[in-house]
Amino acid sequence: MPTSPTSFLDLKSFSSSDLHSFFSRVTHLKKASPASISSGERVALLFFEPSTRTRMSFESAAYRSGFGPLIFDGGANTSLEKGETVEDSILNIAAMRPKFLVIRCGDQVDLRALSQQVEMPIINAGWGIKGHPTQALLDVFTMSEYCPSLTGLRVLILGDVRHSRVAASHFELLPKLGIEVGLCGPSEFLVEQPDIKKFRSLPEALSWAQVVMALRVQFERHDQSPAEKNKPLLDREDYRASFGLNSRVLRDFDPAGIIMHPGPINHGLELESEVLQDPRCKVLQQVTNGVFVREQLLRDLYVN
Ligand code: CP
């Protein structure tokens, strides 16, 4: 991870050794409670789209490392309601000089251009369908805790890959670590990616995988492209029957494998509630790890 005040918008510039060294610092952070790195400085958490896990884990990470969080949550009762743009809101909050801007926003916001206009690092906390790099980091950190080795690990990404910023970040991250990636889902939810296997049948995919990561069906992004307007992409019952995870289909999944989901879950669609009771399911461990991964990122990016 860089130690200069550069923004953290994607995972493109990180090498495999940067990533292994980052995961080792996160492991250490989970075991120890290091001193605060800051006192009296602030982190601005600017969430223009809904969030529970990412916002609260960044808030928790900020407190743990000594930053006061300044929270902009969704925009109700803010000047967005008077017509201020997202970009103006960001620049005005940057002028209050927090140490970082942690931002969740839609694709239409140009975080790269904004990162050239502000003095502090911008951290991508979920940017349209472009990427969600801290989610990908916490996912892989979780895999590293439960799987014997990342190199050669077979990870199945299941479901609405095309509309998922989590999947977009995993396409940047997993191949760098020597992780094999497979995709499974209806053809309209899949994407073309080099060196990635595609499975049409969930049982076949599960017999290949050591990790299965079910994605949330991103209904809110289905009607964004003109081609998709007025044409539902999904028959819920067909999807549930063919691609939903349940205890029956998971009987043939690796007993030492792990089941993941970035949340929030559409119960009874991509995953039946019973799956959360499966000892292989690490959904809440992902959330716990999100705090430490984000705290370590703040520590690494912090410059006095
Ligand atoms: N995984 C994730 O980004 O969850 P939230 O939308 O609740 O932050």
Side-chain angles (χ1 to χ4, degrees):
M1 292 287 144
T3 50
S4 61
T6 49
S7 287
F8 179 80
L9 300 181
D10 57 44
L11 295 157
K12 288 192 179 81
S13 60
F14 301 114
S15 67
S16 163
S17 87
D18 289 335
L19 291 160
H20 283 291
S21 135
F22 178 73
F23 293 141
S24 137
R25 292 197 293 285
V26 177
T27 301
H28 191 256
L29 187 65
K30 266 188 94 169
K31 289 185 190 145
S33 290
S36 293
I37 52 170
S38 158
S39 169
E41 291 179 302
R42 292 144 300 137
V43 174
L45 307 179
L46 310 181
F47 280 68
F48 298 94
E49 290 191 345
S51 170
T52 298
R53 280 147 290 273
T54 312
R55 186 182 75 71
M56 295 195 72
S57 60
F58 266 115
E59 187 176 355
S60 197
Y63 279 121
R64 284 175 51 88
S65 38
F67 294 102
L70 282 179
I71 300 173
F72 182 104
D73 190 3
N77 295 318
T78 71
S79 289
L80 285 183
E81 293 188 350
K82 295 185 276 187
E84 184 164 51
T85 64
V86 169
E87 290 79 358
D88 282 349
S89 300
I90 292 171
L91 291 173
N92 279 267
I93 294 164
M96 298 172 199
R97 300 197 174 162
K99 229 32 203 171
F100 300 99
L101 299 173
V102 175
I103 301 180
R104 169 166 292 191
C105 61
D107 288 297
Q108 73 284 3
V109 180
D110 189 344
L111 289 185
R112 280 187 209 291
L114 283 165
S115 70
Q116 304 300 312
Q117 294 174 62
V118 298
E119 295 167 15
M120 62 290 291
I122 292 181
I123 299 176
N124 174 355
W127 180 10
I129 60 169
K130 292 188 201 310
H132 194 353
T134 60
Q135 179 72 44
L137 287 176
L138 75 89
D139 289 344
V140 175
F141 181 75
T142 306
M143 291 174 205
S144 76
E145 288 190 313
Y146 293 99
C147 303
S149 166
L150 292 177
T151 311
L153 188 67
R154 296 186 300 279
V155 174
L156 175 67
I157 305 182
L158 172 64
D160 192 358
V161 176
R162 184 170 145 212
H163 301 95
S164 170
R165 55 189 169 210
V166 177
S169 288
H170 276 302
F171 292 140
E172 284 177 8
L173 180 59
L174 301 184
K176 278 187 210 207
L177 293 165
I179 294 175
E180 286 185 54
V181 184
L183 304 181
C184 182
S187 55
E188 58 271 36
F189 280 178
L190 300 188
V191 293
E192 293 304 324
Q193 281 287 327
D195 302 325
I196 285 185
K197 293 179 199 306
K198 281 193 193 169
F199 298 91
R200 283 311 308 272
S201 136
L202 180 56
E204 186 199 349
L206 286 174
S207 69
W208 169 84
Q210 295 167 286
V211 174
V212 54
M213 183 190 304
L215 297 175
R216 182 172 70 86
V217 177
Q218 313 267 307
F219 289 104
E220 73 279 19
R221 304 202 192 277
H222 289 182
D223 62 357
Q224 287 186 342
S225 86
E228 293 167 8
K229 284 254 185 263
N230 306 320
K231 186 168 96 60
L233 267 183
L234 183 75
D235 180 295
R236 295 180 74 112
E237 276 315 308
D238 282 355
Y239 185 89
R240 181 184 192 183
S242 301
F243 301 109
L245 289 180
N246 55 50
S247 35
R248 183 184 40 77
V249 77
L250 284 165
R251 258 187 236 134
D252 295 327
F253 177 54
D254 186 346
I258 64 169
I259 302 160
M260 305 174 79
H261 190 300
I265 293 168
N266 290 307
H267 286 257
L269 185 60
E270 65 258 3
L271 193 143
E272 298 299 318
S273 304
E274 66 207 19
V275 174
L276 298 174
Q277 308 309 318
D278 188 312
R280 296 169 294 182
C281 182
K282 305 302 176 198
V283 166
L284 293 180
Q285 286 83 349
Q286 288 173 260
V287 178
T288 301
N289 285 336
V291 174
F292 298 105
V293 162
R294 289 167 175 137
E295 178 181 347
Q296 190 60 54
L297 184 66
L298 294 181
R299 289 175 179 274
D300 285 359
L301 293 174
Y302 179 67
V303 177
N304 249 318

Short mmCIF file of all heavy atoms in Angstrom, two decimals, residues 105-141:
data_model
loop_
_atom_site.label_atom_id
_atom_site.label_comp_id
_atom_site.label_asym_id
_atom_site.label_seq_id
_atom_site.Cartn_x
_atom_site.Cartn_y
_atom_site.Cartn_z
N CYS A 105 -20.58 6.74 -4.16
CA CYS A 105 -21.36 7.56 -5.10
C CYS A 105 -21.65 6.74 -6.36
O CYS A 105 -21.17 5.62 -6.50
CB CYS A 105 -20.57 8.82 -5.46
SG CYS A 105 -19.01 8.43 -6.25
N GLY A 106 -22.39 7.33 -7.27
CA GLY A 106 -22.73 6.67 -8.53
C GLY A 106 -21.63 6.84 -9.56
O GLY A 106 -20.69 7.62 -9.39
N ASP A 107 -21.80 6.13 -10.68
CA ASP A 107 -20.81 6.18 -11.78
C ASP A 107 -20.65 7.56 -12.38
O ASP A 107 -19.62 7.88 -12.97
CB ASP A 107 -21.26 5.25 -12.92
CG ASP A 107 -21.10 3.80 -12.55
OD1 ASP A 107 -19.96 3.38 -12.33
OD2 ASP A 107 -22.13 3.10 -12.48
N GLN A 108 -21.73 8.38 -12.29
CA GLN A 108 -21.69 9.68 -12.96
C GLN A 108 -20.73 10.66 -12.29
O GLN A 108 -20.33 11.66 -12.90
CB GLN A 108 -23.12 10.28 -13.04
CG GLN A 108 -23.69 10.82 -11.73
CD GLN A 108 -24.17 9.75 -10.75
OE1 GLN A 108 -24.04 8.54 -11.00
NE2 GLN A 108 -24.70 10.17 -9.62
N VAL A 109 -20.33 10.36 -11.06
CA VAL A 109 -19.38 11.25 -10.36
C VAL A 109 -17.97 10.87 -10.78
O VAL A 109 -17.63 9.68 -10.79
CB VAL A 109 -19.54 11.12 -8.82
CG1 VAL A 109 -18.57 12.03 -8.10
CG2 VAL A 109 -20.97 11.41 -8.41
N ASP A 110 -17.15 11.85 -11.13
CA ASP A 110 -15.79 11.56 -11.60
C ASP A 110 -14.82 11.68 -10.42
O ASP A 110 -14.24 12.74 -10.18
CB ASP A 110 -15.43 12.52 -12.73
CG ASP A 110 -14.11 12.12 -13.39
OD1 ASP A 110 -13.36 11.31 -12.81
OD2 ASP A 110 -13.84 12.63 -14.50
N LEU A 111 -14.64 10.57 -9.71
CA LEU A 111 -13.76 10.62 -8.53
C LEU A 111 -12.31 10.88 -8.91
O LEU A 111 -11.56 11.48 -8.14
CB LEU A 111 -13.86 9.32 -7.72
CG LEU A 111 -15.16 9.08 -6.95
CD1 LEU A 111 -15.05 7.81 -6.12
CD2 LEU A 111 -15.51 10.26 -6.05
N ARG A 112 -11.92 10.44 -10.12
CA ARG A 112 -10.52 10.71 -10.53
C ARG A 112 -10.29 12.20 -10.69
O ARG A 112 -9.29 12.75 -10.23
CB ARG A 112 -10.20 9.99 -11.85
CG ARG A 112 -9.91 8.57 -11.62
CD ARG A 112 -9.42 7.80 -12.82
NE ARG A 112 -9.86 6.44 -12.63
CZ ARG A 112 -9.38 5.62 -11.70
NH1 ARG A 112 -8.40 6.02 -10.92
NH2 ARG A 112 -9.87 4.42 -11.54
N ALA A 113 -11.24 12.88 -11.36
CA ALA A 113 -11.09 14.34 -11.54
C ALA A 113 -11.12 15.02 -10.18
O ALA A 113 -10.30 15.92 -9.90
CB ALA A 113 -12.20 14.86 -12.44
N LEU A 114 -12.02 14.59 -9.30
CA LEU A 114 -12.11 15.23 -7.97
C LEU A 114 -10.82 15.01 -7.17
O LEU A 114 -10.38 15.91 -6.44
CB LEU A 114 -13.31 14.66 -7.19
CG LEU A 114 -14.66 15.23 -7.63
CD1 LEU A 114 -15.80 14.37 -7.09
CD2 LEU A 114 -14.83 16.68 -7.15
N SER A 115 -10.20 13.85 -7.37
CA SER A 115 -8.98 13.58 -6.60
C SER A 115 -7.85 14.53 -6.99
O SER A 115 -6.90 14.72 -6.23
CB SER A 115 -8.56 12.12 -6.73
OG SER A 115 -8.08 11.89 -8.03
N GLN A 116 -7.95 15.13 -8.19
CA GLN A 116 -6.94 16.12 -8.62
C GLN A 116 -7.25 17.50 -8.06
O GLN A 116 -6.43 18.41 -8.13
CB GLN A 116 -6.90 16.23 -10.16
CG GLN A 116 -6.64 14.92 -10.88
CD GLN A 116 -5.31 14.31 -10.48
OE1 GLN A 116 -4.30 14.99 -10.47
NE2 GLN A 116 -5.32 13.03 -10.12
N GLN A 117 -8.46 17.69 -7.55
CA GLN A 117 -8.88 19.02 -7.11
C GLN A 117 -8.82 19.18 -5.59
O GLN A 117 -9.02 20.29 -5.10
CB GLN A 117 -10.32 19.29 -7.56
CG GLN A 117 -10.48 19.37 -9.08
CD GLN A 117 -11.96 19.48 -9.43
OE1 GLN A 117 -12.64 20.43 -9.05
NE2 GLN A 117 -12.47 18.50 -10.14
N VAL A 118 -8.63 18.09 -4.87
CA VAL A 118 -8.63 18.21 -3.40
C VAL A 118 -7.25 17.85 -2.86
O VAL A 118 -6.45 17.20 -3.54
CB VAL A 118 -9.71 17.29 -2.77
CG1 VAL A 118 -11.11 17.70 -3.23
CG2 VAL A 118 -9.45 15.82 -3.07
N GLU A 119 -6.98 18.30 -1.63
CA GLU A 119 -5.63 18.11 -1.06
C GLU A 119 -5.46 16.75 -0.40
O GLU A 119 -4.34 16.34 -0.12
CB GLU A 119 -5.40 19.14 0.06
CG GLU A 119 -5.37 20.55 -0.39
CD GLU A 119 -5.45 21.50 0.82
OE1 GLU A 119 -5.24 21.07 1.97
OE2 GLU A 119 -5.72 22.68 0.56
N MET A 120 -6.58 16.11 -0.06
CA MET A 120 -6.48 14.89 0.75
C MET A 120 -6.84 13.66 -0.10
O MET A 120 -7.48 13.80 -1.14
CB MET A 120 -7.41 14.98 1.98
CG MET A 120 -8.88 15.10 1.68
SD MET A 120 -9.39 16.69 0.97
CE MET A 120 -9.16 17.83 2.30
N PRO A 121 -6.42 12.46 0.35
CA PRO A 121 -6.78 11.26 -0.41
C PRO A 121 -8.29 11.04 -0.43
O PRO A 121 -8.98 11.27 0.57
CB PRO A 121 -6.11 10.12 0.36
CG PRO A 121 -5.08 10.76 1.22
CD PRO A 121 -5.55 12.15 1.51
N ILE A 122 -8.77 10.60 -1.58
CA ILE A 122 -10.14 10.10 -1.68
C ILE A 122 -10.08 8.58 -1.62
O ILE A 122 -9.26 7.95 -2.31
CB ILE A 122 -10.80 10.56 -3.00
CG1 ILE A 122 -11.01 12.08 -2.99
CG2 ILE A 122 -12.13 9.83 -3.23
CD1 ILE A 122 -11.69 12.64 -4.23
N ILE A 123 -10.93 7.99 -0.80
CA ILE A 123 -11.01 6.53 -0.70
C ILE A 123 -12.34 6.09 -1.28
O ILE A 123 -13.41 6.56 -0.87
CB ILE A 123 -10.88 6.07 0.77
CG1 ILE A 123 -9.51 6.50 1.33
CG2 ILE A 123 -11.08 4.56 0.89
CD1 ILE A 123 -9.30 6.19 2.81
N ASN A 124 -12.27 5.19 -2.25
CA ASN A 124 -13.46 4.65 -2.91
C ASN A 124 -14.17 3.68 -1.96
O ASN A 124 -13.63 2.63 -1.62
CB ASN A 124 -13.01 3.93 -4.20
CG ASN A 124 -14.13 3.21 -4.91
OD1 ASN A 124 -15.26 3.13 -4.42
ND2 ASN A 124 -13.83 2.65 -6.07
N ALA A 125 -15.40 4.03 -1.56
CA ALA A 125 -16.19 3.17 -0.67
C ALA A 125 -17.37 2.56 -1.43
O ALA A 125 -18.40 2.24 -0.83
CB ALA A 125 -16.68 3.99 0.52
N GLY A 126 -17.20 2.38 -2.75
CA GLY A 126 -18.27 1.84 -3.60
C GLY A 126 -18.66 2.90 -4.60
O GLY A 126 -19.31 3.88 -4.24
N TRP A 127 -18.19 2.73 -5.86
CA TRP A 127 -18.32 3.76 -6.88
C TRP A 127 -19.11 3.16 -8.06
O TRP A 127 -18.53 2.45 -8.88
CB TRP A 127 -16.92 4.21 -7.31
CG TRP A 127 -16.84 5.27 -8.35
CD1 TRP A 127 -17.84 6.03 -8.85
CD2 TRP A 127 -15.65 5.67 -9.03
NE1 TRP A 127 -17.35 6.90 -9.78
CE2 TRP A 127 -16.01 6.70 -9.91
CE3 TRP A 127 -14.31 5.26 -8.97
CZ2 TRP A 127 -15.08 7.33 -10.75
CZ3 TRP A 127 -13.38 5.89 -9.80
CH2 TRP A 127 -13.78 6.92 -10.68
N GLY A 128 -20.41 3.42 -8.08
CA GLY A 128 -21.27 2.90 -9.16
C GLY A 128 -21.01 1.42 -9.37
O GLY A 128 -20.95 0.66 -8.40
N ILE A 129 -20.83 1.04 -10.64
CA ILE A 129 -20.43 -0.35 -10.90
C ILE A 129 -18.94 -0.43 -11.22
O ILE A 129 -18.43 -1.46 -11.64
CB ILE A 129 -21.27 -1.03 -12.00
CG1 ILE A 129 -21.17 -0.30 -13.33
CG2 ILE A 129 -22.71 -1.18 -11.58
CD1 ILE A 129 -21.77 -1.10 -14.48
N LYS A 130 -18.22 0.70 -11.00
CA LYS A 130 -16.79 0.71 -11.34
C LYS A 130 -15.96 -0.14 -10.38
O LYS A 130 -15.02 -0.81 -10.80
CB LYS A 130 -16.25 2.14 -11.33
CG LYS A 130 -16.80 3.03 -12.43
CD LYS A 130 -16.05 4.35 -12.41
CE LYS A 130 -16.78 5.49 -13.07
NZ LYS A 130 -17.30 5.21 -14.41
N GLY A 131 -16.27 -0.09 -9.08
CA GLY A 131 -15.46 -0.87 -8.16
C GLY A 131 -15.78 -0.61 -6.71
O GLY A 131 -16.38 0.41 -6.36
N HIS A 132 -15.37 -1.55 -5.88
CA HIS A 132 -15.56 -1.47 -4.43
C HIS A 132 -14.30 -2.13 -3.83
O HIS A 132 -14.35 -3.24 -3.31
CB HIS A 132 -16.83 -2.22 -4.05
CG HIS A 132 -17.33 -1.96 -2.67
ND1 HIS A 132 -16.64 -1.22 -1.72
CD2 HIS A 132 -18.47 -2.38 -2.05
CE1 HIS A 132 -17.35 -1.18 -0.60
NE2 HIS A 132 -18.45 -1.88 -0.77
N PRO A 133 -13.16 -1.44 -3.95
CA PRO A 133 -11.89 -2.12 -3.65
C PRO A 133 -11.73 -2.55 -2.20
O PRO A 133 -11.11 -3.59 -1.95
CB PRO A 133 -10.82 -1.08 -4.04
CG PRO A 133 -11.52 0.23 -4.14
CD PRO A 133 -12.95 -0.07 -4.48
N THR A 134 -12.28 -1.81 -1.22
CA THR A 134 -12.10 -2.28 0.17
C THR A 134 -12.92 -3.54 0.42
O THR A 134 -12.54 -4.37 1.24
CB THR A 134 -12.42 -1.19 1.21
OG1 THR A 134 -13.79 -0.77 1.08
CG2 THR A 134 -11.50 0.02 1.08
N GLN A 135 -14.05 -3.70 -0.29
CA GLN A 135 -14.83 -4.95 -0.15
C GLN A 135 -14.01 -6.12 -0.68
O GLN A 135 -13.95 -7.19 -0.06
CB GLN A 135 -16.15 -4.83 -0.90
CG GLN A 135 -17.01 -6.09 -0.84
CD GLN A 135 -17.62 -6.33 0.54
OE1 GLN A 135 -18.13 -5.40 1.15
NE2 GLN A 135 -17.56 -7.57 1.02
N ALA A 136 -13.37 -5.92 -1.84
CA ALA A 136 -12.56 -7.00 -2.41
C ALA A 136 -11.41 -7.36 -1.46
O ALA A 136 -11.11 -8.54 -1.24
CB ALA A 136 -12.03 -6.61 -3.79
N LEU A 137 -10.79 -6.33 -0.85
CA LEU A 137 -9.69 -6.62 0.08
C LEU A 137 -10.18 -7.42 1.29
O LEU A 137 -9.55 -8.38 1.72
CB LEU A 137 -9.04 -5.31 0.57
CG LEU A 137 -8.17 -4.56 -0.45
CD1 LEU A 137 -7.70 -3.24 0.16
CD2 LEU A 137 -6.96 -5.40 -0.87
N LEU A 138 -11.33 -7.01 1.84
CA LEU A 138 -11.80 -7.73 3.04
C LEU A 138 -12.26 -9.14 2.68
O LEU A 138 -12.12 -10.08 3.48
CB LEU A 138 -12.89 -6.92 3.77
CG LEU A 138 -14.30 -6.85 3.19
CD1 LEU A 138 -15.18 -7.98 3.67
CD2 LEU A 138 -14.94 -5.53 3.56
N ASP A 139 -12.77 -9.31 1.47
CA ASP A 139 -13.16 -10.65 1.03
C ASP A 139 -11.93 -11.56 0.94
O ASP A 139 -11.94 -12.69 1.43
CB ASP A 139 -13.81 -10.61 -0.37
CG ASP A 139 -15.20 -9.98 -0.35
OD1 ASP A 139 -15.80 -9.86 0.73
OD2 ASP A 139 -15.69 -9.61 -1.44
N VAL A 140 -10.87 -11.04 0.31
CA VAL A 140 -9.69 -11.91 0.15
C VAL A 140 -9.00 -12.12 1.49
O VAL A 140 -8.50 -13.22 1.77
CB VAL A 140 -8.72 -11.33 -0.91
CG1 VAL A 140 -7.45 -12.17 -0.99
CG2 VAL A 140 -9.40 -11.31 -2.27
N PHE A 141 -9.01 -11.09 2.34
CA PHE A 141 -8.44 -11.30 3.68
C PHE A 141 -9.20 -12.44 4.38
O PHE A 141 -8.59 -13.31 5.02
CB PHE A 141 -8.49 -10.00 4.50
CG PHE A 141 -7.91 -10.19 5.86
CD1 PHE A 141 -6.53 -10.28 6.02
CD2 PHE A 141 -8.71 -10.35 6.97
CE1 PHE A 141 -5.97 -10.50 7.28
CE2 PHE A 141 -8.16 -10.57 8.22
CZ PHE A 141 -6.79 -10.64 8.38
#
